[in-house]
C-alpha cells in the first residue's frame, strides 16, 4: 500500500524495508498496554500486520518469520519482552504460526485492487487478526479444551482496536506521502 510512495534503491528496497519493519516490530512490538480490569493489549500484531499491509507480502512475511525465529532463539522480542523456544512450543504457539500466515495473506490481499477501497482496507486488517486468533485458538484448544474460546474471546476487543489504529496509521501516512491533491484524486 505504501510501496507506491516509499521507494529505496532498486537493489536494496526490500532489504531496507525489512530492516525498518524488524526494528519496529522487535523493539516496540513486545510492549504491552495494561488496561485496568481487562486483558493487556500487545503491540506485536499491530506492527506485524502494519508492515505487511504497508509493504506487501514479501516484506511482511519475512518480517513475521524473522520475528518468530528471533524470539525462538531467545531474543526478548515476544510480548512483554520475553523470548525462547518454549513459548512457541507452549500454549501460545499457534499465535506465532498465525503471525506468519496473517502477514503473508494480508500482504498479498493488500496488493489486490479491492484493497484501495477503505472498506476493503479495514477488512484486510480484520482478516489478519482473525487468522492470528483462529490459529492461536486451535493450538490453544490442545492445551485447554474447555476454556480456549474464553481466552480468545477476551482478545477480540484488542484486535478490533489494533485494526482500527493500524487502518488510521496507513491512511494518515498515505495522505502525508501522497499530498492533499493526489490523495483526493486517486481512484479507490
Amino acid at each position: 500500500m505504501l510501496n507506491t510512495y516509499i521507494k529505496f534503491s532498486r537493489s536494496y528496497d526490500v532489504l531496507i524495508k525489512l530492516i525498518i519493519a524488524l526494528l519496529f516490530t522487535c523493539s516496540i512490538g513486545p510492549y504491552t498496554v495494561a488496561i485496568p480490569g481487562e486483558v493487556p493489549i500487545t503491540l506485536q500484531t499491530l506492527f506485524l500486520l502494519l508492515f505487511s499491509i504497508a509493504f506487501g507480502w514479501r516484506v511482511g512475511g519475512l518480517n513475521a518469520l524473522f520475528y518468530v525465529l528471533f524470539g525462538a532463539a531467545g531474543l526478548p522480542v515476544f510480548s512483554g519482552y520475553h523470548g525462547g523456544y518454549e513459548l512457541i512450543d507452549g500454549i501460545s504457539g499457534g499465535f506465532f504460526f498465525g503471525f506468519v500466515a496473517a502477514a503473508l495473506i494480508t500482504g498479498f490481499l493488500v496488493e489486490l485492487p479491492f484493497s484501495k477501497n477503505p472498506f476493503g482496507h479495514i477488512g484486510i486488517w480484520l482478516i489478519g487478526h482473525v487468522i492470528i486468533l483462529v490459529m492461536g485458538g486451535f493450538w490453544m484448544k490442545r492445551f485447554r479444551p474447555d476454556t480456549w474460546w474464553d481466552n480468545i474471546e477476551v482478545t477480540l476487543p484488542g484486535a478490533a482496536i489494533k485494526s482500527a489504529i493500524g487502518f488510521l496509521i496507513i491512511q494518515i501516512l498515505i495522505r502525508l506521502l501522497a499530498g492533499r491533491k493526489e490523495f483526493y484524486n486517486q481512484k479507490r
Side-chain angles (χ1 to χ4, degrees), residues 91 137 139-151:
I91 193 167
W139 184 276
M140 189 181 291
K141 192 173 181 178
R142 294 177 36 217
F143 295 90
R144 295 186 182 161
D146 297 332
T147 62
W148 71 275
W149 175 248
D150 296 333
N151 293 327

Side-chain angles (χ1 to χ4, degrees), residues 87-184:
L87 294 172
I88 293 177
D89 194 37
I91 193 167
S92 300
F95 294 102
F96 299 112
F97 298 113
F99 292 163
V100 177
L104 289 168
I105 292 169
T106 57
F108 173 76
L109 290 174
V110 80
E111 295 174 3
L112 299 176
F114 83 93
S115 70
K116 308 302 181 240
N117 177 315
F119 292 111
H121 183 196
I122 191 70
I124 292 171
W125 277 94
L126 294 171
I127 288 168
H129 277 103
V130 166
I131 291 167
I132 293 167
L133 292 175
V134 166
M135 291 184 79
F138 279 120
W139 184 276
M140 189 181 291
K141 192 173 181 178
R142 294 177 36 217
F143 295 90
R144 295 186 182 161
D146 297 332
T147 62
W148 71 275
W149 175 248
D150 296 333
N151 293 327
I152 297 298
E153 191 174 31
V154 296
T155 64
L156 293 176
I161 290 168
K162 288 184 277 187
S163 292
I165 290 171
F167 170 77
L168 291 173
I169 289 170
I170 294 287
Q171 293 302 310
I172 289 168
L173 286 172
I174 289 172
R175 175 138 184 204
L176 290 173
L177 295 169
R180 182 176 294 222
K181 186 176 181 182
E182 186 179 330
F183 178 80
Y184 287 112

Side-chain angles (χ1 to χ4, degrees), residues 41-120:
I41 297 176
T42 65
L43 300 182
Q44 57 193 351
T45 57
L46 173 67
F47 284 107
L48 286 166
L49 294 178
L50 178 74
F51 289 107
S52 293
I53 291 171
F55 297 135
W57 67 272
R58 288 171 191 86
V59 172
L62 286 171
N63 180 42
L65 180 63
F66 281 125
Y67 174 76
V68 171
L69 291 175
F70 290 164
L75 294 175
V77 297
F78 292 153
S79 175
Y81 295 94
H82 295 94
Y85 179 75
E86 65 278 357
L87 294 172
I88 293 177
D89 194 37
I91 193 167
S92 300
F95 294 102
F96 299 112
F97 298 113
F99 292 163
V100 177
L104 289 168
I105 292 169
T106 57
F108 173 76
L109 290 174
V110 80
E111 295 174 3
L112 299 176
F114 83 93
S115 70
K116 308 302 181 240
N117 177 315
F119 292 111

